Amino acid sequence: MLIYDEIGAYGVSAKGFLAELSALLDDAPIDLRLNSPGGSVFDAVAIHNALSRHAGTVTVWIDGIAASAASYIAMAGDEIVMPENAFLMIHDPAGLVMGTAEDMRAMAEALDKVKGSLVSGYAAKSGRTPEEVSALMAAET
């Protein structure tokens, strides 16, 4: 399988990826080639969860970059292979909002919830503490 594009509506959507995934046997091993600048965190979470549910072994190959939302997809791999010249980048979630002060506060709360979810996933895969992962995300590492 290949994700060499943005994650989301203008690239590789969760819907399109899941259609491709469902064409495979339930226990088929998957080699996922990844080179993506990221995109929609919600599409990435859906792709990550679908790969995590897959009964076969999932090997993620980071061929160039797995940035932002794409880095979270990579965490679904049973094995992650990343050459020395490849990149993986994590950062705090971001979003756009227009409206009232209450709309701004609601967006901030939503971003905090998204970060909490991502921190848990990165920490579980990396073996680092949630506090360490949170600091790495804040620093855009």
Side-chain angles (χ1 to χ4, degrees):
M1 300 185 80
L2 188 73
I3 297 179
Y4 264 53
D5 206 341
E6 293 180 21
I7 309 300
Y10 300 107
V12 177
S13 70
K15 182 179 180 180
F17 186 87
L18 269 62
E20 189 177 337
L21 182 61
S22 69
L24 301 175
L25 296 174
D26 290 340
D27 60 351
I30 293 175
D31 282 314
L32 174 61
R33 308 305 296 216
L34 192 54
N35 184 42
S36 172
S40 166
V41 69
F42 297 113
D43 277 69
V45 167
I47 292 169
H48 173 277
N49 291 341
L51 288 168
S52 295
R53 285 190 307 269
H54 184 73
T57 301
V58 176
T59 303
V60 175
W61 300 81
I62 300 173
D63 290 338
I65 189 166
S68 190
S71 69
Y72 196 73
I73 292 171
M75 298 301 108
D78 296 304
E79 180 181 5
I80 301 170
V81 181
M82 188 171 144
E84 286 183 25
N85 61 349
F87 295 87
L88 185 139
M89 184 272 284
I90 62 174
H91 65 88
D92 281 347
L96 298 172
V97 65
M98 187 174 84
T100 66
E102 192 54 39
D103 295 329
M104 306 290 171
R105 282 188 281 280
M107 174 60 95
E109 289 175 16
L111 290 172
D112 287 342
K113 289 177 184 176
V114 169
K115 180 173 181 173
S117 174
L118 297 177
V119 164
S120 296
Y122 289 126
K125 188 67 176 181
S126 69
R128 294 180 181 253
T129 68
E131 294 76 21
E132 288 173 311
V133 171
S134 183
L136 289 170
M137 289 175 69
E140 191 173 295
T141 306

